[in-house]
Amino acid sequence: MSVLALSSTPTAGVSGPDALLVNTAGLDLILPCWNPSDNWVNMLAQHYQEVQQLMEHVPIQLIVVNDGSTQNFTAAQIFQLETVIPGIIVVNYAANRGKGYAVREGVKMARYDLQVYTDLDFPFGVEAVKHAYD
C-alpha cells in the first residue's frame, strides 16, 4: 500500500494568472487489478462499503484500473460495478503493463489531495486504508 500526497489539485475550471489551486479534502482509492477472482465485484462492493463506514466524513473516489485482464473483467461486470458503486471510475486498457503503470493511470484520474492504492482484494484489510489516510 502506498500514500501519495500531491502538492495541489485543481478543483474548478478556473484558469489564468489569478486563479488559485486549492487542495480538496478527500481520498482517491486506487485499485489496480489483473484477472480478478470470480466474485470480485461483490467483494469489492462489500470492502468499499466498509471503507465508507470507517471513513464516514471523508469523500472517497473509487478508481479501479483493469491492467489488461484476460478473464473475469467483462462489460457486464463493469455495469454491475457502476450500478452498486455510483460514481466509480473504471480505467480499462487491453495490454497488461504491470502494477506500477496501473497505479499511475489511476492517479491520472485522481481528484483529491491524497491517494491510497491497494490490491483489489484488500489484502491488508480496510482498516489499513484508513490508517494510511490518517
Side-chain angles (χ1 to χ4, degrees):
M1 183 178 308
S2 177
V3 176
L4 171 67
L6 301 178
S7 60
S8 61
T9 302
T11 59
V14 179
S15 62
D18 297 326
L20 295 176
L21 296 179
V22 179
N23 285 347
T24 56
L27 173 68
D28 296 292
L29 181 54
I30 301 170
L31 305 175
C33 72
W34 179 75
N35 291 341
S37 65
D38 290 334
N39 193 30
W40 72 274
V41 173
N42 292 329
M43 293 303 297
L44 174 55
Q46 179 182 340
H47 289 311
Y48 181 65
Q49 182 180 28
E50 291 170 6
V51 170
Q52 285 186 308
Q53 289 172 352
L54 280 173
M55 302 174 67
E56 62 184 324
H57 299 293
V58 178
I60 300 170
Q61 174 64 64
L62 184 60
I63 303 169
V64 174
V65 183
N66 175 29
D67 186 24
S69 294
T70 57
Q71 61 187 22
N72 296 333
F73 205 99
T74 65
Q77 288 165 316
I78 293 171
F79 179 76
Q80 184 183 2
L81 270 179
E82 293 171 339
T83 301
V84 298
I85 305 173
I88 188 173
I89 295 173
V90 178
V91 178
N92 195 14
Y93 48 88
N96 178 273
R97 296 182 175 198
K99 187 181 285 188
Y101 183 90
V103 171
R104 289 188 299 275
E105 289 300 298
V107 169
K108 288 178 184 178
M109 303 303 292
R111 69 167 65 155
Y112 295 117
D113 55 348
L114 295 175
Q115 291 79 47
V116 172
Y117 79 87
T118 189
D119 291 339
L120 191 66
D121 61 351
F122 288 77
F124 304 104
V126 296
E127 294 83 10
V129 173
K130 182 177 185 322
H131 289 290
Y133 178 81
D134 289 345

